[in-house]
Amino acid sequence: MAELTFGRGALASAQMAATYVAVPVDEWERMLDLLERLEKRLEPEDKWLTTEEACDMLGIKRTAWRVWRRRFGIECAQVGRRVLVRRSELEKLMKRRNLNTGRVEM
């Protein structure tokens, strides 16, 4: 099994000791994969969607969107005449209602 070796190596100060850690390559790759997945979870993915974007995501028409907002209690924000909804709110709805992306019948 191949190993990668990491350490501080030669330091400017002769008083400090060098520290090395040997990690098997497959374990190192597993740790990197885990860190990448954690990093993605921490990224703010929640975005405000317009009515058009919400309808596209759900595969419904604007009239159905108004009905769905009331029927399923979708939390929205209104800015002037625009109705905005968080992407996470629609993803929760889709998971709760077992919906896939694309056209959905009421």
Side-chain angles (χ1 to χ4, degrees):
M1 184 178 338
E3 290 188 354
L4 297 176
T5 304
F6 297 92
R8 295 181 204 165
L11 298 174
S13 171
Q15 296 174 355
M16 297 192 65
T19 303
Y20 294 94
V21 177
V23 179
V25 172
D26 57 299
E27 186 65 21
W28 178 253
E29 289 171 351
R30 189 187 69 76
M31 288 189 296
L32 286 177
D33 181 55
L34 178 63
L35 287 173
E36 287 172 0
R37 287 186 287 148
L38 287 172
E39 188 176 41
K40 284 182 182 177
R41 282 187 180 177
L42 296 175
E43 289 176 2
E45 293 183 20
D46 212 5
K47 175 186 168 194
W48 288 98
L49 302 177
T50 64
T51 294
E52 293 77 22
E53 292 169 326
C55 289
D56 286 344
M57 185 171 172
L58 295 171
I60 59 176
K61 296 189 180 196
R62 291 175 67 95
T63 52
W65 171 237
R66 285 193 285 274
V67 172
W68 281 41
R69 285 192 339 242
R70 284 192 303 271
R71 181 179 291 170
F72 300 125
I74 300 170
E75 293 182 29
C76 297
Q78 189 161 356
V79 180
R81 295 181 64 183
R82 298 184 78 174
V83 176
L84 303 173
V85 62
R86 289 191 184 271
R87 176 182 289 279
S88 63
E89 186 70 20
L90 294 184
E91 289 170 350
K92 282 192 292 188
L93 170 71
M94 293 170 71
K95 189 178 282 188
R96 237 184 13 242
R97 306 300 294 177
N98 219 11
L99 304 174
N100 296 321
T101 57
R103 279 269 178 244
V104 179
E105 297 298 321
M106 290 198 34

